[in-house]
Amino acid sequence: MSQTLNKLGIEYKEINQIQVEEATQSIKQMRLEQVLIGECENFGWQNLINRHDLIIVKSLEKSMKEQKKAYNQTLFIFSNKNPIRKGITKLIRNQNYTYFITLIAALCLIPYCINEKRLAISIEVVCNIIFGFDILLFIIAYGVILDKKSYLRDCWNIANVLAFIFTWFIFLEDNKVNDVIKTIRLLRLFRLIQEIPLLRIQFTAYVSSFLKLKQVLIPIFLVMIYFAIIGLHLFIGLTERRCRLTPEPVDGVWLADDDVLKLCGIWQCPEELYCGSPVDYGLPKNATENDVAEFNWDFTRFDDFFHSLLVVFTFLNVTGWSGTTFMFWKAMTTYVTATYFLVLIVLLAFILSNLLLALFYESFMEKSSIKNSSSKAKKQEQEIEDDLKKKNQEQLMNRLALMSKQKSQLVSQNQSFNGQLNLEQQFQFDQTIFQQTQQIKFFYSLSNSRNFNFINNLCIILSGLAIIIDYKDISKKTLEQLQIVDFFCIIYSLVEMAILISGRGLKGYFSKDINKFDFFVIFSQWILVFVLVVINEPLIINHNVYVTFFKSLKILRIFRFVYNAKLFYKIAILMRSLVLTLTRLKNILALWACLVILIAIVGKSLLQNKLKEEYMTIYYDDFGSALMAAVNIFYNEEWHVTMYKYARHTYVSFFFSILSVILGQIFFIRLLMAVFLNEFVQQLQKVENELKPIDYKQFIQLIVQLLQFKDKKKKKRIINYQSQKSDEKNQIEEQNNKKEKKEFRKENKTNSNLNQNIPLQELEELQNWLQVDQQNQEQQEIKSNLSNNNNQNEKENPQNPQNPTQSKINNDNASKIRQIVDSFIFQLFSLLIVLASTIRVGMSTPFLDPNSQTSQILKIVNIITTILFIIQIILNVIARGFIKGEESYIQRSPYNALNVLVTLVETIGLFLPSHTIFHFFSSLRILEFIRIGTYLSQSINYISQALVKAFQTMLQLSIFCFIILLIYGTFATKILKGQMYYCSSISEEEEFEINDKWDCMDYGGSWVNRILGYDNIFDSALTLFITATTEAWLELLVNTWSARGVDLTPVNNHNRWWAVYYQVFFFIGNICMLNMFISLVVETYQQTKIKAQGMSELNSNQREWLSIKESINHLKPRRLYEKPKTKVGSFIYDIAESKVTKYIWHAIILLNTFTLALYYNRQDKYFTDALDYINLICTIAFTVEVLSRVIAKFPNIYDRDPFIIVDAIGIIINLINQFSISQMNDEFYLRRGFEALSVAFQVLRNYYIIKRFPELEKLFHTIFSVVPSALSMLFIMFIFLFIFACLGMDLFGYLRPQSKMEGFDLHFKKFTTAMFSLIRVASSEEWWALLIDSVHVRTPDFACIYIKGYEEFQEYGYNGCGTYWAYVFYVSFHLIFSLVILNLFIASILGAYDEHAKQEQSAISKYQLHDVLNYWAQYDPNGTGFLNYKQFWKLSSEIAICFGVPVKDLLDPANKKNFLKALNIPLYEDGEGLIGYLFHDVIVSLTRLSVELKYNVRDLESDTYKGKEQVHQYYKKFKKTPYYSGQMSTMIYLQGKARMLINKRKGIKFLDLGALKQELQNQNEGDKFDKS
């Protein structure tokens, strides 16, 4: 086939089988078709006929030349016919050769993992020689680089050649330059990925996805530059403001106090210390005074652009952001610093970072349903054909299987007949077979019985309880009893496994993955029993830690119980969905493992032995520690600390760490999250369809039937007993009955004779009469029942009069009150009451004197607002009822039920002393603003509805995650219970001399237990929950691997294997469980949004059309403005708008930005003055440019240039800063803040340069598209922060300052700082430290006082103890805020980006609509929104071209009338009586028709959808006629006839309008008849 096509001169793309398999595997595994894999086709004759447009026919001469090229010699020696080349080609294509190279590639990992240098070099040289021969063989087979399929045309092979060359550099001496050169040989690591097809597919897809990330990465980089320049001018030089030992320098040296490691300025230094900077006295910088961990070894500073950009980059992943903020707001104005860093974290970490996730997640979304409608129809047809083929194949296979069985049975029968067995042996053989079949049937029925499954589940639960019930101070007797129960469960598990395998067979049992997992768990117990017997250890009661650990593996059987338990339906669904998701992601997880190994090896080769282990927690000195460091980079765990420590010795650490974070944490983890989100939602829907819940109604009915069946049995027994007792009576009655029967027979004979004499007609009439009579009786009974019910209602409700006039009066009163309640004034008044109550709650802090005048005023406000809320509830209840009916007050909104509850609690609180619970309920009033926000913003409406539904889903998922925490925490509890104690209140020198608890007491220390430990299963679950939801969990890991045993002091790095335990759990807890939360919240948000929009019943085409219509409705007719005609006006206009001057302004903007980035700390005065002069010149130039724009576009300035207001404000601030504020040398903080604000406006002008590049402008539109959703979520977040801040101030306001909550950075003394502390908790940055400080109660090493009120606070000050309510406070806040609200933030970003992406790639994009707007402006330059029919014809042709529809399809003269009918545009009349069309009607109708013609779709408009029709303001200027575009051709015809009459009959000055209207009405009626 291919040779024939080549001879014909036809070029096509041929795909071999390996590429096809790789493409299909990538589609199945990565599911990123639109991002990662391009479309390609394998052509045959049928393809040539069907897709002739994709074929290029070339001349025969060119094709012959290419054939000659194909036969070129490799290395100018070996031709295609050369036997050596043929043999080599056959060798390298052999599968065994591939396996050999893969093995060698795996062996190449060994030299990089071991520390023995000679052995490593030897292995590396041998492997390199083998790879050298491999390269030579491939070059001989395919050539070097000239041919298309030559060796170096593949990027993978280029990496192989570079690795081969640079491997020989390992013999060079070790220095910084050579070390970098040697690292190039690590490209060898990619060879293993290259040789494994699945990994190669995954890695290629991963790398190719970078190309699509430009639309988010470029805006991220520009935003980082923007904030880096602002931070440079705001915080430059502040890191030198330290607390000094002397008021002024002494002998040219000004020493800082090493005990006070904080910046100063806003924060006041302690007594006898003085705040200052050496810059103030012209002294050189002390390079060592900030080289400590508290200042990140002097790397966290804004002294130049590079360091500013580095600090801003760390905020992209929320890495150590709070420490940076706390460090600088001590030296700069607190609110200015907090605003800068909060805006930075919201933009980078919450919006732009999640846009990366949205970009990956967008790959799974359908861009345009209308565009893909034809392809979807083809896919459906193909799926139907495939199903038919599969069914036919299954039928054939079943027939073949039956035939083979029949043949085997015939063969076995013949063999049995021809056998030489004796009759006795044959009888015994048949008997054993019969017994075996009976045994199999017995075990099969037993394994599937409900009782057996119930016992199995009961055993799993008993075993789990026996393992979980373990804690620090458990008695020995209880522990032994639990071990006995546990051993009984081990024995039963053996019996259970034997029964299941015997009944279902090996294949039947191991067909399910959960059974395989369960078997391995039980098999581990068999091995444990065998080992204990061999080594002669006790089987049942054994207190060995490792034996206990292996026994506790049975707790994993809980997963099988959860997997199969339909009783816990939701949990079973979540379990199955998670298992299926992880199995589907196994290939991308394998790629993750390869990337971790790659980063670990590169880090080890670059940073090995640069620091001592004693100074490092995470280091690269050995392969195991390097793996841990690499995993922490992916987990975003304290990587910046490791980077800073190594950067003190080599700047390679910066490049390695930042590149690893970008490739690993920013790209790969978000890609994994996107794949996980999509796959988990799909598996969840699939499992919900397959697994049906228990029908509890049917289950109860079965129980009732069983009980009734038992009652029937009892009744039968009683009846039998009574019948036996009454036998004698029955015999006597039988004799009497015989006599009665004889008499009855005689009577029947007489009656039968009478009936025979009655005719049939009379019998039928009698039956009819009886039926009618029966119906009348039934109707009378119904009437009587109704009257009885009415009488009973009157008796039960004597107060409700039946007077209709009175009920009418009540309805009138209710309707009047309803009008009052629904009025705008009443709603505004209610809002003001809520606002007053919220302000009262915010001011009622625990630091307010209850006897002060402010407190008394707040009490009066509380009484008034409570009374007003009661009145509001009463009026609403009168207007709509309380709870009955859908329109009742309670059922109308959940916020109304909350209002009733809060009002009830506040009413009770008026008569009781003040308490935290009353204050908490009062703070819930602020939730009323969410209800108000739903009326103002659609996004708030969607989010509020999704929030209510998300809480229900989160509760079920929280239970499932809690089960996982309990199971995983069991292993740590078994080993580490009672081992987390440490010795406090001792010096560093004494710490090395203390070995155990008693040494600690001898030295006067306190033997203290850690608050976060593993003493029981709940402590373990809490510690693991914190690990999964926090950043900076490394300290918890260090405490864990330092534990040595009970009553022994911890020693660092005692058992680093606990790092494996933590990092595996972080994958389960953070990557899996938290992404399950995100998946469910995203799914809930999307479903809620569709339902709220009323589009749940629409198909995808109709939804896309509605979005297109919404985009059209947002357009406005644009007005064209003429250039001024005067010379002065024309000159000013040219200054503002000409292309030449715009290039000049853009150049000045770039110069100004570059100048602002050149500032650095301690720069020369002349350099500073030069930069200041350039900045001043740029400011003056900007002033001229803005003034020229204002004059040129006056008076319609805002309509023509909305951004000019921002420019004007920026120019004013720049001028004030240049000529006034910058001269105030005494006002340091004002000068710095105003300068930063001025720089922000100056750098913001770069947006004009971005607008010059359409691609860049599109990129920034992605950011602007998600801003409204982000602002709505910030509104929701503020409300919940307010509630928890008020509660936190009540609980922890009097708390004694400690290590983290030290009273300045983190505390609950002030409302704003309390909110900032909660933001830190929400960002997961070391929130467990706040929990520990808040839980601290009175202990030997911590003295505090339990303060109960304001009077005791006045006496003892800030010396309060913590409270155990802190557990509830922080965990609930993290569950509600971090796992629900922040995930809703992600969901809103994904949803907004989804809409933006669909608009970008829909059937009609917004850029096409922008072109339409320009076309309309050419015919309607004044922007009236009105066109006459002549202008409409010209416009429609241009719109057709814009939308890609041939003009002849729209403007064929033969179809003109049908075209106008299809448009169905209403006609309007302007003030002068001219008839025409309006803007939005025309655009919507033309767009709809264009889409239908171009994509061959129908039914875009839905009859069921009832959306709000948008009414535009300019419609009011025109009068709507009863006619549509279908009658326009008739009107044109009649106008032509009228003109002819006028020309013929001169002197007639009017037309017969009545005849014209009659003609239009006739045609209108004819159109209606056609439609009917």
Coordinates of all heavy atoms in Angstrom, one line a residue, residues 717-751:
R717 N -50.4 -23.7 65.9 CA -50.3 -24.6 67.0 C -51.4 -24.5 68.0 O -51.9 -25.5 68.5 CB -48.9 -24.3 67.7 CG -47.7 -24.6 66.9 CD -46.4 -24.2 67.6 NE -45.3 -24.5 66.8 CZ -44.0 -24.1 67.2 NH1 -43.8 -23.4 68.3 NH2 -43.0 -24.4 66.4
I718 N -51.9 -23.3 68.2 CA -53.0 -23.1 69.1 C -54.3 -23.7 68.6 O -55.1 -24.4 69.2 CB -53.2 -21.6 69.4 CG1 -52.0 -21.1 70.2 CG2 -54.5 -21.4 70.2 CD1 -52.0 -19.6 70.3
I719 N -54.5 -23.5 67.2 CA -55.7 -24.1 66.6 C -55.6 -25.6 66.6 O -56.7 -26.3 66.9 CB -55.7 -23.6 65.1 CG1 -56.1 -22.1 65.2 CG2 -56.8 -24.3 64.3 CD1 -55.9 -21.4 63.8
N720 N -54.4 -26.2 66.4 CA -54.4 -27.7 66.4 C -54.6 -28.2 67.8 O -55.3 -29.2 68.0 CB -53.0 -28.1 66.0 CG -52.7 -27.9 64.5 OD1 -53.7 -27.9 63.7 ND2 -51.5 -27.6 64.1
Y721 N -54.1 -27.5 68.8 CA -54.4 -27.9 70.2 C -55.9 -27.8 70.5 O -56.4 -28.7 71.2 CB -53.6 -27.0 71.2 CG -53.8 -27.3 72.6 CD1 -53.2 -28.5 73.2 CD2 -54.6 -26.5 73.4 CE1 -53.4 -28.8 74.5 CE2 -54.8 -26.8 74.7 CZ -54.2 -27.9 75.3 OH -54.4 -28.2 76.6
Q722 N -56.5 -26.8 70.1 CA -57.9 -26.6 70.4 C -58.8 -27.6 69.6 O -59.8 -28.1 70.1 CB -58.4 -25.2 70.0 CG -57.8 -24.1 70.9 CD -58.2 -22.7 70.5 OE1 -58.8 -22.6 69.4 NE2 -57.9 -21.7 71.3
S723 N -58.3 -28.0 68.4 CA -59.1 -29.0 67.6 C -59.0 -30.3 68.2 O -60.0 -31.1 68.2 CB -58.5 -29.0 66.2 OG -57.2 -29.5 66.2
Q724 N -57.9 -30.6 68.9 CA -57.8 -31.9 69.5 C -58.7 -32.0 70.7 O -59.3 -33.0 71.1 CB -56.3 -32.2 70.0 CG -55.4 -32.4 68.8 CD -53.9 -32.6 69.3 OE1 -53.7 -32.5 70.5 NE2 -53.0 -32.8 68.3
K725 N -58.8 -30.9 71.4 CA -59.7 -30.8 72.6 C -61.2 -30.9 72.3 O -62.0 -31.3 73.1 CB -59.4 -29.5 73.4 CG -58.0 -29.5 74.1 CD -57.9 -30.5 75.2 CE -56.5 -30.4 75.9 NZ -56.4 -31.4 77.0
S726 N -61.5 -30.4 71.0 CA -62.9 -30.3 70.7 C -63.3 -31.4 69.7 O -64.3 -31.2 68.9 CB -63.2 -28.9 70.1 OG -62.4 -28.8 68.9
D727 N -62.6 -32.5 69.7 CA -63.0 -33.6 68.8 C -64.4 -34.2 69.2 O -65.2 -34.5 68.3 CB -62.0 -34.7 68.8 CG -60.8 -34.3 67.9 OD1 -60.9 -33.5 67.1 OD2 -59.7 -34.9 68.2
E728 N -64.6 -34.3 70.4 CA -65.8 -34.9 70.9 C -67.0 -34.0 70.5 O -68.0 -34.5 70.1 CB -65.8 -35.1 72.4 CG -64.7 -36.1 72.8 CD -64.6 -36.2 74.4 OE1 -65.4 -35.5 75.0 OE2 -63.9 -37.0 74.8
K729 N -66.8 -32.7 70.7 CA -67.9 -31.8 70.3 C -68.2 -31.8 68.8 O -69.3 -31.8 68.4 CB -67.6 -30.4 70.7 CG -67.5 -30.2 72.2 CD -67.1 -28.7 72.6 CE -67.0 -28.5 74.1 NZ -66.7 -27.1 74.4
N730 N -67.2 -32.0 68.0 CA -67.3 -32.0 66.6 C -68.1 -33.3 66.1 O -68.9 -33.2 65.2 CB -66.0 -32.0 65.9 CG -65.3 -30.7 66.0 OD1 -65.9 -29.7 66.2 ND2 -64.0 -30.7 66.0
Q731 N -67.9 -34.4 66.8 CA -68.7 -35.6 66.4 C -70.2 -35.4 66.7 O -71.0 -35.8 65.9 CB -68.2 -36.8 67.2 CG -66.7 -37.2 66.8 CD -66.2 -38.4 67.7 OE1 -66.9 -38.8 68.6 NE2 -65.0 -38.8 67.4
I732 N -70.5 -34.8 67.8 CA -71.9 -34.5 68.1 C -72.5 -33.5 67.0 O -73.6 -33.7 66.6 CB -72.0 -34.0 69.5 CG1 -71.6 -35.0 70.5 CG2 -73.5 -33.5 69.8 CD1 -71.4 -34.5 71.9
E733 N -71.7 -32.5 66.7 CA -72.2 -31.5 65.7 C -72.4 -32.1 64.3 O -73.2 -31.7 63.6 CB -71.2 -30.3 65.7 CG -71.2 -29.5 67.0 CD -70.2 -28.3 66.9 OE1 -69.5 -28.3 65.9 OE2 -70.2 -27.5 67.8
E734 N -71.5 -33.1 64.0 CA -71.7 -33.7 62.6 C -73.0 -34.4 62.5 O -73.7 -34.4 61.4 CB -70.5 -34.7 62.4 CG -69.2 -34.0 62.1 CD -68.1 -35.0 61.9 OE1 -68.4 -36.2 62.1 OE2 -66.9 -34.5 61.6
Q735 N -73.4 -35.0 63.6 CA -74.7 -35.7 63.5 C -75.8 -34.7 63.3 O -76.8 -34.9 62.6 CB -74.9 -36.5 64.8 CG -73.9 -37.7 64.9 CD -74.1 -38.5 66.2 OE1 -74.9 -38.1 67.0 NE2 -73.3 -39.5 66.4
N736 N -75.8 -33.6 64.0 CA -76.8 -32.6 63.9 C -76.8 -31.9 62.5 O -77.8 -31.6 61.9 CB -76.6 -31.5 64.9 CG -76.8 -32.1 66.3 OD1 -77.6 -33.0 66.5 ND2 -76.1 -31.5 67.3
N737 N -75.6 -31.8 61.9 CA -75.4 -31.2 60.6 C -76.0 -32.0 59.5 O -76.6 -31.5 58.5 CB -74.0 -30.9 60.3 CG -73.4 -29.7 61.1 OD1 -74.1 -28.8 61.5 ND2 -72.1 -29.8 61.4
K738 N -75.9 -33.3 59.7 CA -76.5 -34.2 58.6 C -78.0 -34.0 58.5 O -78.6 -34.0 57.5 CB -76.2 -35.7 59.0 CG -74.8 -36.0 58.7 CD -74.5 -37.5 59.1 CE -73.0 -37.9 58.9 NZ -72.8 -39.3 59.3
K739 N -78.6 -33.8 59.7 CA -80.1 -33.6 59.7 C -80.4 -32.3 59.0 O -81.3 -32.2 58.2 CB -80.6 -33.6 61.1 CG -80.5 -35.0 61.8 CD -81.0 -34.9 63.2 CE -80.9 -36.2 63.9 NZ -81.3 -36.2 65.3
E740 N -79.6 -31.2 59.3 CA -79.9 -29.9 58.7 C -79.7 -29.9 57.2 O -80.4 -29.2 56.5 CB -79.0 -28.9 59.4 CG -79.3 -28.6 60.8 CD -78.4 -27.6 61.5 OE1 -77.4 -27.2 60.8 OE2 -78.6 -27.2 62.6
K741 N -78.7 -30.7 56.7 CA -78.5 -30.7 55.3 C -79.6 -31.3 54.5 O -80.0 -30.9 53.4 CB -77.2 -31.5 55.0 CG -75.9 -30.8 55.3 CD -74.7 -31.7 55.1 CE -73.4 -30.9 55.4 NZ -72.2 -31.7 55.1
K742 N -80.2 -32.3 55.1 CA -81.4 -32.9 54.4 C -82.5 -31.9 54.3 O -83.1 -31.8 53.2 CB -81.9 -34.1 55.2 CG -80.9 -35.3 55.2 CD -81.4 -36.5 56.0 CE -80.4 -37.7 56.0 NZ -80.9 -38.8 56.8
E743 N -82.8 -31.2 55.3 CA -83.8 -30.1 55.3 C -83.5 -29.0 54.3 O -84.3 -28.5 53.5 CB -84.0 -29.5 56.6 CG -84.6 -30.6 57.6 CD -84.7 -29.9 59.0 OE1 -84.3 -28.8 59.2 OE2 -85.2 -30.6 59.9
F744 N -82.2 -28.6 54.2 CA -81.8 -27.6 53.3 C -81.9 -28.0 51.8 O -82.2 -27.2 51.0 CB -80.3 -27.2 53.6 CG -79.7 -26.1 52.8 CD1 -80.2 -24.8 53.0 CD2 -78.8 -26.3 51.8 CE1 -79.7 -23.8 52.3 CE2 -78.3 -25.3 51.1 CZ -78.7 -24.0 51.3
R745 N -81.6 -29.3 51.5 CA -81.8 -29.8 50.2 C -83.2 -29.7 49.7 O -83.5 -29.3 48.5 CB -81.3 -31.2 50.1 CG -79.8 -31.4 50.1 CD -79.4 -32.8 50.2 NE -77.9 -32.9 50.3 CZ -77.3 -34.1 50.5 NH1 -78.0 -35.2 50.6 NH2 -76.0 -34.1 50.7
K746 N -84.1 -30.0 50.6 CA -85.5 -29.8 50.2 C -85.9 -28.4 49.9 O -86.6 -28.1 48.9 CB -86.4 -30.3 51.4 CG -86.3 -31.8 51.6 CD -87.2 -32.2 52.8 CE -87.1 -33.7 53.1 NZ -87.9 -34.1 54.2
E747 N -85.4 -27.4 50.6 CA -85.7 -26.0 50.4 C -85.1 -25.6 49.0 O -85.7 -24.8 48.3 CB -85.2 -25.1 51.5 CG -85.9 -25.3 52.8 CD -85.4 -24.5 53.9 OE1 -84.3 -23.8 53.7 OE2 -85.9 -24.5 55.0
N748 N -83.9 -26.0 48.7 CA -83.2 -25.7 47.5 C -83.9 -26.1 46.3 O -84.0 -25.4 45.2 CB -81.8 -26.2 47.5 CG -80.8 -25.4 48.4 OD1 -81.1 -24.3 48.6 ND2 -79.8 -26.1 48.9
K749 N -84.5 -27.3 46.4 CA -85.3 -27.8 45.2 C -86.5 -26.9 45.0 O -86.8 -26.5 43.8 CB -85.8 -29.2 45.6 CG -84.7 -30.2 45.5 CD -85.3 -31.6 45.8 CE -84.2 -32.7 45.7 NZ -84.7 -34.0 46.0
T750 N -87.2 -26.4 46.0 CA -88.3 -25.5 45.8 C -87.8 -24.2 45.2 O -88.5 -23.6 44.3 CB -89.0 -25.3 47.1 OG1 -88.1 -24.8 48.0 CG2 -89.6 -26.6 47.6
N751 N -86.7 -23.6 45.7 CA -86.2 -22.3 45.2 C -85.7 -22.4 43.7 O -85.9 -21.5 42.9 CB -85.0 -21.9 46.0 CG -85.5 -21.5 47.4 OD1 -86.6 -21.0 47.6 ND2 -84.7 -21.7 48.4

